[in-house]
Amino acid sequence: MSSQLLVESNKTENELESRTLDSNSDKMETRETSKKVLDQLENRLNVKDIMKIQEVLMPPNFKEFVPVNRKNFIDNMFTALGYGVEEEYGDLFDRIDVTRDGFVDWDKVTTFMLLELYEKEERVKSSLVPQWKDIKFLPSHHKEPIQSMVYLKNSHCYLSLSKEGWMNVWGENLKLQQILRVATDSVRLRDLWVTSMISLENVNKVAVAFTSKEICFYDLSSKEEFSCQYKLHGLSNTPICIHYWYNPEDGNEAVLTFGDVCGEVNAICFTTALISLFERPTSSTDEQETTVAITWQELVKGNHKCCFTLQHKEHNNEWVRQVSYCSNLEAFISCATTNFNTVVLGWKEKESATLKTTSFHVSEGVNAFDYHPGLNLIASAGVDHQVYLWNPYVMSKPNGVLRGHIASVIAVQFSITRRLLFSFSKDKVLRIWDMHHQLCVQRLAGIFPKCLEFQTILYFNEPFGQLFTTFNNQLTLLEMKQEIGKCVTSHEKPVTCVLYNSLFKQVISSDIGSTVIVWMIETGQKIKQFTGCHGNSEITTMALDATETRFFTGSVDGTVKIWDFNGHCHHKLNAGRDQAADISQILILKRTILILGWERIITVFRMDTLTEFFVQPSEWKGKAQHHDDILYAAFLPAQTLVTGSYDGEIVVWNNNSENASCRFHPCFKRTLKSKSDNQLYQHQDSRAIDNSSTVSNIHALFNPGSDDNECSYVVTRIFFLEGRKNVFTTDGANLVVCGGSGMVRFWDTFRSLLLAEFEAHADVVSIIMTVDKKSDYLITGDVNGCIKVWNIKDYCLCSSDIVITQPPPMVVAIQPHIDCISHLETCVQDGHLLILSASADCSIVLSDVSGSVIGVFGQDEHWRIGECSPPSIIKISPKEEKTVGQKHVKNEDCLAISKHSIPVTEQNIDPDSRVNVWKSTVLGKQYKESRIYRRPRPQLCTWGKIQNPIGAFSSLHVEDLEKIIDVPKPDFLQNPHKYFNEKIEEDDNEKLIFPPLSETLKAAFDEKSLFPKEILDREHKTKLLDEQNLNVRKTAVNKKALRVKPRLPQETTAGIRLGKQFNISLQK
């Protein structure tokens, strides 16, 4: 069985490896096919075949092993074994002769076989045994033991509820976001005791059980925070465990099961869950938020047509420790700590109102259980230190018994996909069992909190690989490491930066282990490797000088070193002034070297001071003009320098005078201030004394909707669009900025106007980007390893009165990495635009703008950059495409020069407005708490924005419309003589003659004394002309009337219709 598993795992690995390599040529496909055949040949070898190989390599007349060349090896092996083809033995010879000596002997063959078997065994072992990260202790605000923990898929957050009713809301990144208090009006807060909680995913609700013999249903989509919608009271006993199931194909079908302290198992079967869980009484008000009270007797009697109840009492008045409804078995499973009827299965037969039961008997009882639908096994945590595996259809004895614990097992849970079982005992030992062999493959102990008496909950979130354990009010997390498997890696540790040297056509990369590697871009082959460039300190960024003959490396030790490509260090720049500093960028200009990343002041080194090995920084004349640390900068010839900080503020400098000219911020509601130099150093002194965050900063961290949340505007990359030559005349965008919340913004620095902003990556906190030299393509990358290419050639070429939120056309979206993308770079090779991406998954990938992955630096096969397909605009799937338009925000309100482009000399800085958060590095385990947290978008973190997928119309009060008995007739029908007149004017051509103005005026003066003579003459001439025109028209009309016989109005169509309507009205 193990050999078959080895064969299957090896086949899978070869298939994955063949997918990652370029399969354009026929040779590559033939080689991949031969590898599969070779694997089959190696696994077909048995002991007799190996003895035959030994006889071939040591003939009978020789006492020592004889080396054999390739041709003799193929002929002799094919003759001795008698199966296979000659090509298989040729490929086997090539794999054994790794040194390319041209011959193999018995030692080489046995070494090859042993190494192959060892690697296969290690791969199988790593695939079964999960690898864990260091245990984390999550800070919570619980004071009493934690009773339940659930995960809300709709809002991507965790809920933990303790005994006294405090609920903690955890984000997907396990940051505490909100603290709520669960209460009921039946008891006082000091007497409140919560026993269990469960999530109702299909209706977006949470059910909480209390010792007051009631279950409350809280609506998560309500406008009010955690409002109680239904309250089920009047239970016969106190519920202590609860479970919920719903049909994924039909959300109306759901089952809520709970067990109590007297051995009863009750179930509420819902038939219209999406419409309403319970019927609202007719006497209730119209308000949606009113709590509906339901008694248990009403449900038992069947007064609610939308649900019915089931129950059994098979646990002999013992506490029901756990309940569950299994849809595969269509049965209710429950357990108790009794010798008789320990695990009970109950099911409902057709046309029967009661449950039929069967049970397993375990000595001393069972604390918990779990069911695996694929294996059809029930695992029970025995009080007698053993884990029992049961087949639901075999009652006589367990299918297997897992022994190894030396204390009572208190929790068990399956890993469905891995087919593993987690069991936790009273002595704080976690064992992981392989269900295929029913063996313990891992034991974890000594890492959990030390406490004598404790209450524990084991919760495993399989999609995220997170195992939660509670110890009274403490919450711990064990997280699985991501399995890289056969993925090709370029570095041994996460890559931090990658550069392209167009002079040598080489790629330079660095990692957190202070290693720099040089690669050939044409083949992906490693050329040089420099280790320990900064000792054990992490290299955070690199840069090339103008000649591309030297490169710069910046480290967290606060130093920047200048190297040549032979590995010789020429200068060491003391950027951190003998202190650790997180350097984010090295910007090399003609006369200066600018170092950024951990201060609000730009650290500058003059080129004329590079005369000694150890160089001290010079003084930046512009002093500190940012509120927060400067993260990135961009330079535009001749003298324009732009810097962006952690709070999203952008400052434009004159690099020659080193003075700031203006500043702007994407949030037009934000008030920008500046700090003086004296206040800066005062704040640095105070920061050394107290380096903790204030209450307001902590609130902004946990409340993403706050206006002070600077994470939404953090600037991670800034680039000038140097390819746009006429942008000054067209008032288009010449600067692109990216960073917080996955946003990309286009600016016009000449007018300090925000022209466009759009969300490039959804549900991420931060992104990075790069732009090609022609400014035709924008490449963005996020923390999930996804890369998107945008066509910005015709984007924001002219000014607009509104801020554009429509994104540019997206060329392609790919995911070449499985972890955070740390750096992006573009290069042109053989006339093709290529993308270099470095990631924390230790790999560097080369791809083109059309989305084709050329290869990974460090792979076995060397690539050949062929013809790259031209980029084409693709359509995004409807699931990913978001409705975007234009945000109607006037540019005058968003950072116009006269309003928000504030001269730096007029600024005052509050010394308490900045908090030092550069306490960590960019990558690495020892610097996990970085400033840019990997978490979902802010709208997923607040209760007010949790969306209900089905709507909330079940609580609306609807009734029939009132019948209209008598419709009153309008007055024009009752009194038609008032509205209709039989006299019709016969002469339509008669004109109304108005009196002249002179007759209507009642004043002491006439027209001659009021108006000048020129105006009166002009008016007189106009009157004469009008009278002449009027006479001409009358003459024409009279002639026409003589020729055409006039029709009476009663004979026209309108007259006939009017008469009919009048007669009908008179009859009515």
Side-chain angles (χ1 to χ4, degrees):
M1 186 176 295
S2 62
S3 62
Q4 182 179 2
L5 184 60
L6 291 173
V7 175
E8 293 177 356
S9 64
N10 208 5
K11 287 181 181 179
T12 306
E13 291 175 357
N14 287 330
E15 291 175 359
L16 293 174
E17 183 178 3
S18 63
R19 293 176 185 175
T20 58
L21 303 179
D22 188 9
S23 58
N24 294 331
S25 60
D26 295 334
K27 291 184 179 181
M28 189 68 68
E29 296 177 355
T30 305
R31 186 176 301 173
E32 292 172 358
T33 306
S34 65
K35 283 184 179 181
K36 295 180 181 180
V37 178
L38 175 62
D39 291 338
Q40 297 175 359
L41 175 62
E42 292 175 359
N43 288 278
R44 286 203 301 261
L45 297 178
N46 51 30
V47 178
K48 294 182 179 180
D49 294 336
I50 295 176
M51 293 177 64
K52 292 178 182 179
I53 295 174
Q54 184 180 6
E55 293 175 359
V56 170
L57 297 178
M58 190 178 69
N61 299 330
F62 295 86
K63 297 182 180 180
E64 297 179 355
F65 294 103
V66 179
V68 181
N69 58 20
R70 191 175 191 275
K71 185 176 182 305
N72 293 334
F73 180 85
I74 296 174
D75 296 336
N76 296 337
M77 290 294 176
F78 183 74
T79 304
L81 299 180
Y83 59 83
V85 294
E86 294 182 356
E87 294 180 1
E88 299 179 31
Y89 296 99
D91 293 333
L92 179 60
F93 180 90
D94 295 337
R95 296 193 65 188
I96 296 175
D97 187 19
V98 292
T99 58
R100 298 296 184 264
D101 296 331
F103 66 91
V104 297
D105 54 10
W106 176 248
D107 292 335
K108 288 187 176 181
V109 173
T110 54
T111 302
F112 171 77
M113 297 294 292
L114 290 174
L115 289 176
E116 284 292 313
L117 292 175
Y118 177 77
E119 292 178 0
K120 291 177 182 178
E121 184 180 1
E122 288 295 319
R123 285 195 294 266
V124 173
K125 185 178 179 180
S126 63
S127 64
L128 292 176
V129 181
Q131 303 299 320
W132 303 95
K133 298 180 182 179
D134 296 337
I135 190 171
K136 293 182 180 179
F137 294 86
L138 303 180
S140 65
H141 288 263
H142 295 295
K143 298 179 181 179
E144 296 289 338
I146 299 175
Q147 301 290 73
S148 297
M149 187 167 185
V150 297
Y151 177 72
L152 302 180
K153 294 182 180 180
N154 297 336
S155 55
H156 304 283
C157 63
Y158 293 93
L159 300 181
S160 61
L161 183 62
S162 56
K163 170 184 171 182
E164 77 279 12
W166 283 110
M167 176 179 291
N168 291 355
V169 184
W170 309 81
E172 203 170 12
N173 56 354
L174 299 178
K175 299 295 179 182
L176 187 60
Q177 297 175 349
Q178 200 171 7
I179 302 173
L180 302 172
R181 187 66 185 266
V182 178
T184 175
D185 54 1
S186 303
V187 296
R188 293 175 294 181
L189 288 178
R190 64 180 183 180
D191 299 329
L192 188 69
W193 190 326
V194 176
T195 59
S196 184
M197 175 184 63
I198 197 65
S199 171
L200 286 62
E201 297 177 359
N202 61 328
V203 293
N204 206 22
K205 292 178 177 59
V206 170
V208 181
F210 299 91
T211 54
S212 55
K213 300 181 182 180
E214 57 186 3
I215 300 175
C216 295
F217 298 83
Y218 297 90
D219 190 5
L220 302 180
S221 59
S222 174
K223 296 180 181 180
E224 298 182 3
E225 282 190 352
F226 219 65
S227 62
C228 181
Q229 187 175 8
Y230 301 103
K231 184 174 71 172
L232 177 62
H233 63 96
L235 301 176
S236 56
N237 303 297
T238 300
I240 57 174
C241 55
I242 190 169
H243 179 265
Y244 182 77
W245 170 89
Y246 72 94
N247 189 352
E249 297 180 358
D250 183 9
N252 288 314
E253 181 182 353
V255 177
L256 179 71
T257 313
F258 60 93
D260 57 31
V261 296
C262 293
E264 292 187 8
V265 175
N266 300 279
I268 305 175
C269 302
F270 299 100
T271 57
T272 59
L274 297 181
I275 301 174
S276 178
L277 294 178
F278 305 99
E279 293 182 0
R280 181 177 291 271
T282 56
S283 60
S284 63
T285 61
D286 296 339
E287 296 180 2
Q288 181 179 351
E289 305 297 338
T290 302
T291 302
V292 179
I294 304 104
T295 62
W296 175 250
Q297 294 300 325
E298 293 179 4
L299 299 182
V300 174
K301 293 179 181 179
N303 295 341
H304 293 257
K305 298 180 181 179
C306 56
C307 62
F308 60 92
T309 61
L310 299 170
Q311 66 174 344
H312 72 77
K313 304 177 182 180
E314 298 295 329
H315 287 292
N316 301 326
N317 295 327
E318 290 290 336
W319 285 26
V320 181
R321 299 292 178 175
Q322 186 179 347
V323 292
S324 177
Y325 175 76
C326 298
S327 59
N328 294 46
L329 304 175
E330 295 184 353
F332 301 92
I333 306 177
S334 58
C335 69
T337 54
T338 57
N339 298 330
F340 184 74
N341 289 345
T342 308
V343 180
V344 177
L345 275 72
W347 67 94
K348 179 180 179 298
E349 294 184 349
K350 295 182 179 179
E351 299 179 358
S352 176
T354 60
L355 290 176
K356 289 193 173 184
T357 60
T358 183
S359 59
F360 307 128
H361 311 296
V362 180
S363 176
E364 300 182 26
V366 167
N367 287 316
F369 68 88
D370 196 17
Y371 174 72
H372 194 295
L375 300 175
N376 196 27
L377 287 177
I378 300 175
S380 61
V383 182
D384 58 354
H385 311 172
Q386 297 177 358
V387 177
Y388 296 92
L389 303 177
W390 304 89
N391 187 328
Y393 303 105
V394 179
M395 309 297 169
S396 58
K397 62 179 181 180
N399 192 24
V401 180
L402 306 180
R403 297 180 175 89
H405 286 288
I406 59 176
S408 174
V409 185
I410 55 179
V412 290
Q413 188 166 357
F414 277 108
S415 174
I416 305 298
T417 56
R418 290 174 171 266
R419 297 194 172 187
L420 299 176
L421 177 67
F422 302 97
S423 62
F424 192 77
S425 59
K426 195 69 175 178
D427 56 352
K428 301 174 189 174
V429 175
L430 177 67
R431 287 183 176 269
I432 301 176
W433 308 83
D434 175 25
M435 290 293 95
H436 185 71
H437 301 92
Q438 295 187 4
L439 296 174
C440 179
V441 295
Q442 194 173 31
R443 178 181 180 272
L444 300 176
I447 61 175
F448 299 104
K450 296 180 180 180
C451 50
L452 296 177
E453 296 295 332
F454 61 92
Q455 180 179 343
T456 298
I457 294 174
L458 189 69
Y459 178 75
F460 180 61
N461 191 351
E462 188 164 357
F464 296 94
Q466 295 173 339
L467 180 64
F468 296 90
T469 52
T470 64
F471 299 88
N472 294 333
N473 62 338
Q474 290 183 304
L475 182 61
T476 63
L477 169 65
L478 278 173
E479 190 172 5
M480 289 185 180
K481 294 181 180 179
Q482 292 184 351
E483 297 181 357
I484 300 178
K486 289 291 292 181
C487 295
V488 181
T489 57
S490 309
H491 285 250
E492 294 182 359
K493 296 185 178 181
V495 187
T496 57
C497 187
V498 61
L499 301 174
Y500 175 66
N501 191 323
S502 59
L503 180 63
F504 300 137
K505 294 184 178 181
Q506 297 174 352
V507 175
I508 308 102
S509 59
S510 63
D511 61 18
I512 67 172
S514 196
T515 300
V516 176
I517 301 179
V518 183
W519 314 82
M520 287 292 296
I521 193 172
E522 295 179 350
T523 60
Q525 182 181 3
K526 183 192 295 185
I527 304 174
K528 299 176 184 179
Q529 179 173 335
F530 310 131
T531 59
C533 295
H534 288 263
N536 296 326
S537 299
E538 170 189 348
I539 298 177
T540 56
T541 186
M542 295 192 302
L544 287 169
D545 65 352
T547 61
E548 297 189 354
T549 57
R550 295 185 180 182
F551 65 94
F552 295 64
T553 58
S555 174
V556 294
D557 59 5
T559 62
V560 175
K561 294 184 179 181
I562 305 176
W563 308 80
D564 59 21
F565 284 88
N566 293 323
H568 176 67
C569 180
H570 293 269
H571 301 283
K572 183 178 180 181
L573 311 182
N574 187 17
R577 294 178 176 87
D578 299 328
Q579 294 182 0
D582 199 348
I583 300 173
S584 61
Q585 186 190 15
I586 304 172
L587 186 60
I588 304 171
L589 305 180
K590 186 176 181 181
R591 299 178 181 178
T592 57
I593 302 171
L594 306 182
I595 314 296
L596 312 169
W598 75 104
E599 283 288 352
R600 296 182 298 107
I601 301 177
I602 300 175
T603 303
V604 59
F605 292 86
R606 315 290 178 186
M607 289 293 186
D608 52 7
T609 60
L610 300 181
T611 56
E612 299 179 358
F613 175 77
F614 196 76
V615 184
Q616 297 292 339
S618 303
E619 182 182 0
W620 180 256
K621 300 177 183 178
K623 304 298 180 182
Q625 304 299 340
H626 278 277
H627 278 107
D628 217 322
D629 298 337
I630 303 174
L631 300 186
Y632 216 80
F635 180 76
L636 179 66
Q639 299 296 338
T640 303
L641 176 68
V642 173
T643 56
S645 59
Y646 181 78
D647 58 359
E649 186 179 2
I650 300 174
V651 178
V652 181
W653 307 76
N654 186 320
N655 186 58
N656 189 19
S657 62
E658 297 183 358
N659 290 324
S661 58
C662 64
R663 67 178 72 225
F664 39 89
H665 194 279
C667 181
F668 56 88
K669 297 180 181 179
R670 187 184 182 88
T671 303
L672 299 179
K673 297 182 180 180
S674 178
K675 294 185 179 180
S676 63
D677 188 45
N678 295 332
Q679 290 172 332
L680 166 68
Y681 289 104
Q682 292 175 4
H683 183 67
Q684 288 179 344
D685 295 338
S686 63
R687 184 183 56 187
I689 298 174
D690 185 7
N691 201 19
S692 61
S693 300
T694 59
V695 178
S696 60
N697 292 85
I698 297 176
H699 177 72
L701 178 63
F702 292 152
N703 186 9
S706 175
D707 294 337
D708 297 332
N709 186 18
E710 298 175 349
C711 225
S712 301
Y713 301 107
V714 57
V715 176
T716 57
R717 293 293 187 272
I718 299 177
F719 287 98
F720 274 106
L721 303 177
E722 300 182 9
R724 300 185 176 185
K725 303 300 181 181
N726 301 324
V727 68
F728 180 76
T729 58
T730 60
D731 294 335
N734 66 334
L735 184 74
V736 58
V737 180
C738 79
S741 302
M743 300 296 294
V744 176
R745 296 177 175 90
F746 285 77
W747 293 87
D748 179 9
T749 59
F750 298 109
R751 299 189 301 155
S752 301
L753 293 180
L754 178 63
L755 299 183
E757 63 176 354
F758 65 92
E759 186 183 50
H761 296 257
D763 301 334
V764 296
V765 172
S766 179
I767 62 173
I768 63 172
M769 70 173 181
T770 188
V771 182
D772 67 315
K773 292 185 178 180
K774 294 183 179 180
S775 302
D776 291 339
Y777 296 99
L778 171 70
I779 300 97
T780 58
D782 60 18
V783 295
N784 299 320
C786 178
I787 294 178
K788 294 183 180 181
V789 183
W790 310 84
N791 188 346
I792 60 171
K793 186 176 181 180
D794 300 325
Y795 192 69
C796 286
L797 294 180
C798 56
S799 178
S800 176
D801 294 335
I802 56 178
V803 178
I804 300 174
T805 58
Q806 180 74 27
M810 188 175 70
V811 179
V812 72
I814 59 175
Q815 188 170 1
H817 301 280
I818 61 175
D819 207 339
C820 173
I821 295 177
S822 56
H823 198 88
L824 291 171
E825 188 81 4
T826 60
C827 63
V828 178
Q829 185 72 14
D830 298 334
H832 303 294
L833 180 62
L834 305 178
I835 302 173
L836 291 165
S837 58
S839 172
D841 62 2
C842 308
S843 65
I844 306 168
V845 176
L846 179 66
S847 57
D848 59 12
V849 292
S850 62
S852 301
V853 177
I854 298 175
V856 181
F857 288 90
Q859 66 184 31
D860 295 333
E861 272 73 12
H862 298 163
W863 60 68
R864 182 178 299 174
I865 300 176
E867 297 294 332
C868 299
S869 58
S872 59
I873 301 175
I874 64 172
K875 294 183 178 180
I876 312 173
S877 60
K879 294 182 179 180
E880 298 180 358
E881 187 177 7
K882 292 191 173 184
T883 306
V884 291
Q886 292 183 336
K887 186 195 296 183
H888 293 276
V889 180
K890 294 184 179 180
N891 278 330
E892 289 78 2
D893 297 333
C894 185
L895 309 173
I897 296 179
S898 59
K899 293 185 179 181
H900 297 278
S901 181
I902 308 173
V904 180
T905 57
E906 299 178 3
Q907 302 308 310
N908 296 319
I909 282 188
D910 183 7
D912 297 329
S913 63
R914 176 181 178 271
V915 177
N916 181 20
V917 291
W918 283 105
K919 304 175 185 176
S920 59
T921 57
V922 179
L923 297 171
K925 296 180 181 178
Q926 64 273 32
Y927 307 105
K928 292 179 181 178
E929 295 298 331
S930 60
R931 296 187 61 174
I932 305 173
Y933 295 100
R934 180 176 178 178
R935 65 186 180 195
R937 289 296 303 276
Q939 62 264 26
L940 301 178
C941 304
T942 55
W943 285 98
K945 297 186 179 181
I946 299 178
Q947 298 297 329
N948 187 353
I950 61 170
F953 297 101
S954 58
S955 302
L956 294 177
H957 180 69
V958 181
E959 61 182 9
D960 296 336
L961 296 176
E962 297 180 357
K963 295 183 179 181
I964 300 175
I965 301 175
D966 187 13
V967 179
K969 295 182 179 181
D971 186 57
F972 74 89
L973 293 178
Q974 298 179 0
N975 303 310
H977 59 278
K978 296 181 180 180
Y979 300 93
F980 300 97
N981 191 3
E982 297 181 358
K983 296 182 179 180
I984 301 175
E985 298 182 0
E986 297 180 359
D987 189 9
D988 296 336
N989 296 327
E990 184 179 356
K991 302 295 180 180
L992 295 176
I993 302 175
F994 296 96
L997 181 62
S998 59
E999 297 180 2
T1000 59
L1001 284 176
K1002 296 180 180 180
F1005 49 84
D1006 56 2
E1007 293 180 354
K1008 295 181 180 180
S1009 61
L1010 182 62
F1011 300 102
K1013 183 179 179 182
E1014 295 79 2
I1015 297 177
L1016 296 175
D1017 295 341
R1018 191 180 303 115
E1019 183 183 1
H1020 181 66
K1021 293 180 181 180
T1022 305
K1023 290 181 179 180
L1024 294 178
L1025 184 60
D1026 292 340
E1027 291 178 357
Q1028 294 178 2
N1029 295 335
L1030 182 61
N1031 295 331
V1032 173
R1033 290 177 184 176
K1034 287 184 177 180
T1035 305
V1037 170
N1038 293 333
K1039 292 181 179 179
K1040 186 176 180 181
L1042 293 175
R1043 279 183 261 148
V1044 182
K1045 182 180 179 180
R1047 296 170 58 187
L1048 296 176
Q1050 293 84 352
E1051 297 177 358
T1052 60
T1053 305
I1056 295 172
R1057 186 179 303 169
L1058 186 60
K1060 289 182 178 180
Q1061 293 179 356
F1062 180 74
N1063 295 332
I1064 292 173
S1065 61
L1066 291 178
Q1067 294 176 2
K1068 289 183 179 180

